[in-house]
Amino acid sequence: MSNKNISFKSDTENKNENSKPPFIHSYLKNGFLLDNKEFIGPIIVTNNKVVNWRLLSRNFSFSDFEFINKINYKPEFVLFGVGKKFDNPMFNLKSEFTKKNFSLEIMTTHSACRVWNLNINDNRKIIGFFIPLNHF
């Protein structure tokens, strides 16, 4: 797996001790507010933690989402908030996810934040990758 466009920083990780999935209170032009903590830049959100996600390019491949292999559950689907506009259906990326037996839902960050909050309220096991509105 190539790590060309992504890196994970464990020092910026926020584990959620109360075992409730993180709730996205708002998104900002350059970050997000989850459970009263501000995160700048792209983030990865699981059912129990938030991790900063450093992206260097909009040329996405499955390797940019390798954090999926670090969680202890199989997500029902992978949620991807691409930023302000969703103008590329990313068929190749969706195909890569399908080959690895993952369902990928791609949408604007605004929509992805709403979908995240609705699904965690239903106790669904998902993972979200969110890009701020003005990241690229």
Side-chain angles (χ1 to χ4, degrees):
M1 252 183 251
S2 167
N3 233 6
K4 62 181 170 51
N5 293 339
I6 187 169
S7 69
F8 302 104
K9 299 179 183 178
S10 60
D11 60 328
T12 55
E13 185 176 293
N14 174 45
K15 289 188 180 182
N16 191 344
E17 277 91 34
N18 63 9
S19 75
K20 285 177 51 179
F23 186 84
I24 302 174
H25 291 280
S26 64
Y27 57 89
L28 315 164
K29 289 182 180 182
N30 62 349
F32 302 88
L33 183 64
L34 287 88
D35 295 333
N36 299 317
K37 293 183 182 171
E38 188 173 323
F39 293 86
I40 302 300
I43 57 173
I44 302 167
V45 185
T46 71
N47 283 4
N48 63 0
K49 69 174 81 173
V50 179
V51 180
N52 285 95
W53 183 32
R54 197 175 96 196
L55 290 171
L56 303 176
S57 167
R58 283 190 73 84
N59 298 323
F60 304 110
S61 70
F62 187 82
S63 65
D64 295 315
F65 299 84
E66 70 181 39
F67 194 82
I68 291 170
N69 299 318
K70 296 182 179 196
I71 61 175
N72 62 357
Y73 60 91
K74 169 117 168 93
E76 294 176 45
F77 66 92
V78 178
L79 184 59
F80 182 25
V82 298
K84 190 183 278 189
K85 290 189 335 186
F86 176 44
D87 53 4
N88 176 354
M90 300 185 200
F91 292 123
N92 291 337
L93 182 61
K94 286 190 95 154
S95 177
E96 286 183 71
F97 271 79
T98 300
K99 288 176 187 171
K100 306 235 186 237
N101 294 318
F102 289 104
S103 174
L104 176 65
E105 299 297 329
I106 306 171
M107 58 196 72
T108 65
T109 295
H110 171 78
S111 295
C113 289
R114 286 184 297 153
V115 169
W116 173 267
N117 288 339
L118 288 170
N119 279 277
I120 64 162
N121 281 336
D122 289 339
N123 296 316
R124 302 214 29 212
K125 301 278 188 210
I126 58 176
I127 184 170
F129 294 80
F130 300 92
I131 298 175
L133 302 182
N134 292 340
H135 187 68
F136 289 110

